[in-house]
Amino acid sequence: MAAAAVAAPEPLGECGCKGIRTCLVCERQRGEDASWRPGPLTHRFSYCPDTGWAMGTEDSDFEGWAFPFPGVTLLEDFVTREEEAELVQLMDRDPWKLSQSGRRKQDYGPKVNFRKQRLKLGGFCGLPPSSRELVRRMGMYPGLEDFQPVEQCNLDYRPERGAAIDPHLDDAWLWGERLVSLSLLAPTALSLSRESPGSLLLSLAPSGLPMGLGAVATCRSVSCLEVEVAVALPRRSLLVLRGPARHQWQHAIHRGDVRARRVGTTFRELAAEFRPGGKQQDLGRELLQVALSFQGTPV
């Protein structure tokens, strides 16, 4: 496969930010301090894929303490270096649109008004041809055998733009249980946080043991509002969020965790309302037929 050509740096004069969202471009235009600073002080934990626990980071107040963190699956080296290069090269042949917080995007999906819960095909004519093999490969892994994406969003993050994405939950009216994301070109960290009140119960959980094994009685607690869990996303890895990690924990990528150009590709499936037996199953069937034709261009 051909190697991807290095994209020429784009002019930084334009910005897609709206409302409270900002990036380095608009901050500099307004003469603001463009240096990145972390948010309010939180207790940071790191997700351990071997155990399924969120572990207190070194030199923190909760070093050695942990809590179960279900709903995260990480598949490393999901694509090869050659496949990664070809995928990005194909993306860069199509236009990127300016988006919020310094990102650029390419959308492959229906036109949706989430507030009014309305959608139509619009210009959607399918996922891109390059995703056919990715979707086929996903189905070879446990937990993704029946995964049928109906939407794909490519996001381009560049440190020179101060690109980031704020904490958010993906919609659950249209999008289903699993969010599947492929990381290309550079590693980063996905930061998960909660806005709900209450506390998390912590245990002294030995490393190297599966979730629920070897943990001693709970001895400590911490406010949910003060906790952030970082999930390391290696280059070329595939991340699956479901269950609590999908519906209870907001996910974000901080500006300080974008140190080189990174492209994130997220695939979303249909929610129950649009699946067989749901009240909009006919529309869901039509959307899937279009999506899985793999004839799409960005809308």
Side-chain angles (χ1 to χ4, degrees):
M1 296 185 183
V6 177
E10 62 166 8
L12 298 182
E14 295 186 64
C15 167
C17 297
K18 300 176 182 178
I20 63 172
R21 308 287 185 249
T22 65
C23 67
L24 282 177
V25 176
C26 56
E27 290 166 10
R28 287 169 176 160
Q29 288 174 346
R30 293 197 295 262
E32 297 177 2
D33 180 4
S35 60
W36 180 81
R37 294 178 298 275
L41 179 63
T42 56
H43 299 295
R44 291 180 170 82
F45 289 72
S46 295
Y47 177 74
C48 176
D50 293 333
T51 63
W53 288 73
M55 315 289 290
T57 57
E58 294 183 6
D59 301 323
S60 74
D61 291 342
F62 291 96
E63 181 178 359
W65 295 87
F67 61 94
F69 198 79
V72 177
T73 301
L74 188 66
L75 305 173
E76 296 195 35
D77 296 316
F78 183 76
V79 296
T80 66
R81 289 181 179 271
E82 292 76 17
E83 289 170 332
E84 173 191 49
E86 184 172 19
L87 285 168
V88 176
Q89 184 182 56
L90 291 170
M91 291 177 194
D92 284 339
R93 290 178 182 173
D94 288 321
W96 291 90
K97 293 182 179 179
L98 291 173
S99 185
Q100 301 267 40
S101 302
R103 304 184 305 275
R104 299 189 307 164
K105 67 179 181 179
Q106 293 173 337
D107 285 320
Y108 300 83
K111 186 176 179 63
V112 185
N113 185 319
F114 289 106
R115 184 174 60 84
K116 296 182 178 180
Q117 294 193 344
R118 296 176 183 172
L119 67 89
K120 58 183 179 180
L121 280 175
F124 180 44
C125 53
L127 304 186
S130 57
S131 291
R132 184 188 297 272
E133 170 59 20
L134 297 178
V135 173
R136 184 200 70 80
R137 192 175 302 175
M138 291 174 195
M140 300 171 61
Y141 288 87
L144 290 176
E145 298 94 338
D146 61 344
F147 183 71
Q148 292 185 302
V150 73
E151 191 257 6
Q152 175 178 333
C153 180
N154 301 332
L155 292 178
D156 179 271
Y157 295 81
R158 298 185 185 233
E160 61 268 24
R161 298 189 67 91
I165 191 164
D166 287 349
H168 67 283
L169 290 173
D170 277 39
D171 174 80
W173 161 70
L174 178 58
W175 308 137
E177 174 64 14
R178 294 163 292 191
L179 303 177
V180 180
S181 297
L182 179 64
S183 291
L184 301 173
L185 295 183
T188 191
L190 188 74
S191 296
L192 295 105
S193 58
R194 292 179 66 170
E195 290 188 336
S196 59
S199 299
L200 290 166
L201 303 180
L202 307 179
S203 299
L204 289 171
S207 61
L209 293 180
M211 187 184 304
L213 297 180
V216 300
T218 300
C219 297
R220 239 179 134 176
S221 65
V222 61
S223 169
C224 293
L225 297 173
E226 298 176 358
V227 169
E228 184 176 83
V229 178
V231 179
L233 302 181
R235 181 176 177 176
R236 298 188 302 280
S237 65
L238 191 77
L239 173 75
V240 183
L241 297 180
R242 71 181 81 205
R246 152 78 166 102
H247 298 289
Q248 298 176 16
W249 291 81
Q250 296 184 329
H251 54 274
I253 293 179
H254 297 316
R255 183 183 294 182
D257 290 324
V258 178
R259 298 179 176 88
R261 186 193 180 193
R262 173 186 177 267
V263 173
T265 298
T266 297
F267 299 86
R268 299 177 175 93
E269 63 183 342
L270 289 170
E273 181 174 332
F274 299 88
R275 297 170 72 90
K279 65 180 182 179
Q280 298 202 63
Q281 63 176 356
D282 292 339
L283 177 55
R285 187 183 305 113
E286 180 184 8
L287 289 171
L288 264 180
Q289 184 177 7
V290 172
L292 300 182
S293 70
F294 297 102
Q295 298 177 3
T297 56
V299 296

